């Protein structure tokens, strides 16, 4: 920074004001400083700045290493939201979301002087893992369970399932079968609850649950069962990859979608509009979820408050995989 100040012919403080977008710098001076920064290839030293100011412009995120669409999209969206707000992101990628791993992840991030931490916790996490976290640490949980005594930001999974189930009932289907995600995932639990509650409130039969995981292969296996049941006319899959496997199995058995069976997915993965037929699904706004989580986290950084919950509303995207049931 001293080199930049010398080249631009300004004070160290002026360079600092330019870097922090301070308004009390003339346009001419600002341009001179920016030109010096570019010429010297200067990059701010985040660690030095944290030591000098007592505040960091880096936030941490703890996540279980995963290539699944939801967690991976959420982590990417959080990084983009942080960048848009002028923050760097330090990631602690864990093999397991257990108490010891979370504690190690927190220690690693705090050693990097992050100002706050977000934990992407889509699976059941031992209470001890969260209870051991200092109460004065700025923290937000993304997609956590209902009984966590920390701030949580999540998509309303039960509402998403309700939107999917109501859509199928509204088309005239008598009931809706559900191929669920794996046990232990809060998303799975919320979608099961929303599906079951919607059917019960409508006075409809609740079919047996078809448990699966998040993969197209598991959807294909469930679809083999569904395809052999001629009375099934509507299926809600817990994610789009499951729906893809179901579509494949139904087609192999001569069951047409949507003429014979309507199928709804969840997530709205980029490929879902190009399935055959294009998939009706529930869209999660990961960008809005990430921005909200970052806002909550920074709110705790600037003015610590008690825990609170924020939910993001999902959206039903209707495409060609759903239609009224076959007649007669």
């Amino acid at each position: 920074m001293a080199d930049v100040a010398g080249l631009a012919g300004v004070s160290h403080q002026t360079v600092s004001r330019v870097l922090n977008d301070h308004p009390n710098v003339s346009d001419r001076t600002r341009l001179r400083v920016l030109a010096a920064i570019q010429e010297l290839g200067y990059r701010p030293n985040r660690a030095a700045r944290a030591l000098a100011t007592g505040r960091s412009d880096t936030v941490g995120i703890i996540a279980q290493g995963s290539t699944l669409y939801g967690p991976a999209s959420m982590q990417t969206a959080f990084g983009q939201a942080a960048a848009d707000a002028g923050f760097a992101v330090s990631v602690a990628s864990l093999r397991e979301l257990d108490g010891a791993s979370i504690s190690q992840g927190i220690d690693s991030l705090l050693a990097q002087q992050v100002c706050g931490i977000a934990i992407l916790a889509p699976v059941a996490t031992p209470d001890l893992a969260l209870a051991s976290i200092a109460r004065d640490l700025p923290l937000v949980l993304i997609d956590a369970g209902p009984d966590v005594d920390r701030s949580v930001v999540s998509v309303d999974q039960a509402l998403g399932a309700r939107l999917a189930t109501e859509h199928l009932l509204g088309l005239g289907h008598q009931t809706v079968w559900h191929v669920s995600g794996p046990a232990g995932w809060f998303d799975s639990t919320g979608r099961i609850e929303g599906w079951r509650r919607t059917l019960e409130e409508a006075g409809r039969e609740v079919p047996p649950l078809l448990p699966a995981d998040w993969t197209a292969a598991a959807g294909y296996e469930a679809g083999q069962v569904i395809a052999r049941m001629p009375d099934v006319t509507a299926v809600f899959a817990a994610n789009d990859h499951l729906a893809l496997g179901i579509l494949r199995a139904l087609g192999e058995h001569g069951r047409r979608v949507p003429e014979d069976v309507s199928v709804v997915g969840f997530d709205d993965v980029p490929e879902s509009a190009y399935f055959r037929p294009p998939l009706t699904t529930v869209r999660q706004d990961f960008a809005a979820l990430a921005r909200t989580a970052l806002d909550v986290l920074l709110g705790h950084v600037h003015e610590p408050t008690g825990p609170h919950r924020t939910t993001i509303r999902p959206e039903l995207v209707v495409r060609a995989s759903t239609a009224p049931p076959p007649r007669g």
Side-chain angles (χ1 to χ4, degrees), residues 9-327:
V10 298
S11 68
H12 179 281
Q13 290 80 3
T14 298
V15 176
S16 178
R17 292 190 186 98
V18 171
L19 290 172
N20 290 285
D21 292 324
H22 198 284
N24 294 337
V25 180
S26 70
D27 291 341
R28 183 176 179 180
T29 300
R30 187 182 303 276
L31 289 173
R32 197 160 68 245
V33 170
L34 292 175
I37 288 173
Q38 184 174 2
E39 181 176 340
L40 294 173
Y42 171 74
R43 295 293 182 272
N45 185 318
R46 297 183 181 277
R49 183 184 298 181
L51 288 171
T53 64
R55 296 182 61 182
S56 168
D57 59 356
T58 301
V59 293
I61 182 168
I62 294 176
Q64 186 174 12
S66 175
T67 58
L68 291 172
Y69 177 75
S73 297
M74 184 59 238
Q75 188 171 327
T76 299
F78 187 84
Q80 185 59 60
D84 291 343
F87 285 80
V89 176
S90 185
V91 180
S93 183
L94 309 181
R95 291 185 178 179
E96 300 291 339
L97 281 175
D98 55 38
S101 297
I102 289 176
S103 294
Q104 291 173 4
I106 289 174
D107 290 342
S108 174
L109 292 174
L110 291 179
Q112 300 172 57
Q113 298 181 313
V114 298
C115 64
I117 295 175
I119 301 179
L120 180 55
V123 297
T125 305
D127 292 340
L128 181 61
L130 300 176
S132 63
I133 301 174
R135 301 300 301 185
D136 60 350
L137 172 65
L139 180 74
V140 63
L141 302 176
I142 302 173
D143 202 19
D147 302 322
V148 177
D149 187 26
R150 305 299 291 244
S151 288
V152 177
V153 178
S154 60
V155 172
D156 192 334
Q157 305 293 337
L159 174 59
R162 176 178 291 276
L163 293 174
T165 307
E166 287 180 343
H167 170 67
L168 291 166
L169 295 180
L171 289 171
H173 297 276
Q174 290 304 303
T175 191
V176 177
W177 287 69
H178 181 44
V179 179
S180 76
W185 284 69
F186 299 123
D187 289 357
S188 294
T189 301
R191 293 168 198 177
I192 292 170
E193 291 177 353
W195 160 76
R196 179 177 288 122
R197 190 180 309 119
T198 303
L199 290 178
E200 290 173 347
E201 291 175 357
R204 306 299 177 89
E205 177 188 357
V206 180
L209 186 70
L210 297 176
D213 57 28
W214 297 123
T215 65
Y220 179 77
E221 291 182 8
Q224 294 287 336
V225 175
I226 293 168
R228 292 181 170 88
M229 296 188 291
D231 292 341
V232 176
T233 65
V235 180
F236 164 45
N239 78 348
D240 292 349
H241 291 97
L242 286 169
L244 177 61
I246 293 168
L247 293 176
R248 169 74 180 271
L250 291 173
E252 288 182 353
H253 286 268
R255 302 290 299 278
R256 300 168 300 165
V257 177
E259 292 85 356
D260 300 322
V261 182
S262 289
V263 179
V264 178
F266 207 110
D267 278 341
D268 193 26
V269 301
E271 300 83 5
S272 62
Y274 302 94
F275 288 2
R276 188 171 182 182
L279 185 67
T280 295
T281 185
V282 178
R283 176 182 296 157
Q284 302 191 79
D285 191 340
F286 291 111
L289 182 62
R291 288 193 302 269
T292 302
L294 183 65
D295 288 344
V296 171
L297 180 60
L298 296 181
H300 285 312
V301 170
H302 296 302
E303 188 175 350
T305 59
H308 59 276
R309 285 184 170 264
T310 306
T311 55
I312 305 297
R313 182 182 177 90
E315 173 189 3
L316 180 70
V317 180
V318 179
R319 298 194 180 102
S321 67
T322 52
R327 296 181 179 179

